[in-house]
Structure formats: C-alpha cells, structure tokens
Amino acid sequence: MSAQVSADRVSRAVRAYFLAIRAMDAEAFANTFAEDGTTCDPLGAPPITGREGIREFFQSICKNFKSVSLEEESIFVAANGAAVKWTGKGTSNSGKEVKFEGIDVFEVNADGKIQNVWAYWNPGEMIAQL
C-alpha cells in the first residue's frame, strides 16, 4: 500500500460505492474506482481491471434485475482500506425476490478512489433463488 489515506477518505469511497449500487448507476459505480482499479467479484473469479470493464461488469448484473441493492451492515476502516459486511436484495426482471450477503474488502488510493475490491460471497446462493 502507498501513502496513508485518511479514514474519512476511505469511508467516503466506500459509501459512494454502495450508493452507486443502490442507484443501479453503472457510470457512478465505475467512477468510484481508480482508472486502473480492480474488482474480484466474487473472489476467485477473474479480476476485472479498469473503469470500462468495471462499468460493463456492473451493467451485466443490473440488466437481470428491476432493482438490486447492497446495504452496509458493518464497516471496519483500517489503514488504507475497509472491510464491509453487507446484505443484498433484489427483484429479478421476472419478479422473483432474492436475498444474499457477503463481505467486501476495499483498498483505497491516495486520491480517494478504490484501487482494489475483493468480494467474499457466493453468487450461487442468489442464482438458486431466481
């Protein structure tokens, strides 16, 4: 990790990420990341690097849902990052309700942008509800 990032700057980056998800706003979501930011969602999936790829990834998720949101339950900020326990819910285009949960681990850069996200959750649990 590079220079120390303030806890406030880390918190703002994390809040912007979750707000963009709740708004289903792919542009705002991508813009929470550094130009060369990376997401591994879920961890073990191939990493997606760069705002354009991250935007396309988020759009590919949203197209399956009328609504989708992640609510932060607990946020733990330390050094240049944070771990967030969240609960997700959504309504598919066919009207099915889904609930799922996980933990995202963030690394935030000196500009207050997300450098890396590692998402710990099981998409299979959500897909089984569809």
Side-chain angles (χ1 to χ4, degrees), residues 13 16-21 24-39 48-59 62 109 112-117:
Y17 172 92
F18 285 99
L19 284 169
I21 291 171
M24 295 179 71
D25 185 336
E27 192 67 33
F29 181 77
N31 287 335
T32 66
F33 285 83
E35 286 286 348
D36 62 346
T38 297
T39 184
I48 300 165
T49 300
R51 284 187 186 151
E52 187 57 36
I54 290 168
R55 182 182 305 105
E56 289 170 5
F57 164 73
F58 190 69
Q59 286 171 331
C62 288
N109 69 21
K113 294 292 186 179
I114 297 166
Q115 193 64 54
N116 294 295
V117 174

Side-chain angles (χ1 to χ4, degrees), residues 2 6-7 13-14 16 20 26 29 31 38 45 48 57 59 62 79 85 89 95 99 102 107-108 111 117 125:
S2 54
S6 74
V14 169
F29 181 77
N31 287 335
T38 297
I48 300 165
F57 164 73
Q59 286 171 331
C62 288
K85 167 71 176 79
K89 61 184 176 187
K99 289 192 174 170
E107 179 185 344
V108 176
D111 294 328
V117 174
E125 291 176 2

Side-chain angles (χ1 to χ4, degrees), residues 4-123:
Q4 181 64 34
V5 178
S6 74
D8 182 60
R9 185 166 266 195
V10 170
S11 295
R12 282 197 311 263
V14 169
R15 277 197 309 269
Y17 172 92
F18 285 99
L19 284 169
I21 291 171
R22 287 193 288 274
M24 295 179 71
D25 185 336
E27 192 67 33
F29 181 77
N31 287 335
T32 66
F33 285 83
E35 286 286 348
D36 62 346
T38 297
T39 184
C40 295
D41 190 349
L43 191 67
I48 300 165
T49 300
R51 284 187 186 151
E52 187 57 36
I54 290 168
R55 182 182 305 105
E56 289 170 5
F57 164 73
F58 190 69
Q59 286 171 331
S60 75
I61 294 168
C62 288
K63 74 179 184 192
N64 298 307
F65 290 92
K66 289 180 189 172
S67 67
V68 66
S69 71
L70 299 184
E71 294 288 337
E72 309 94 310
E73 286 180 19
S74 303
I75 302 173
F76 304 94
V77 175
N80 299 5
V84 179
K85 167 71 176 79
W86 52 261
T87 300
K89 61 184 176 187
T91 305
S92 73
N93 288 330
S94 64
K96 291 209 167 144
E97 300 289 327
V98 296
K99 289 192 174 170
F100 49 102
E101 58 185 357
I103 295 171
D104 285 359
V105 178
F106 296 83
E107 179 185 344
V108 176
N109 69 21
D111 294 328
K113 294 292 186 179
I114 297 166
Q115 193 64 54
N116 294 295
V117 174
W118 299 273
Y120 293 79
W121 70 294
N122 180 356

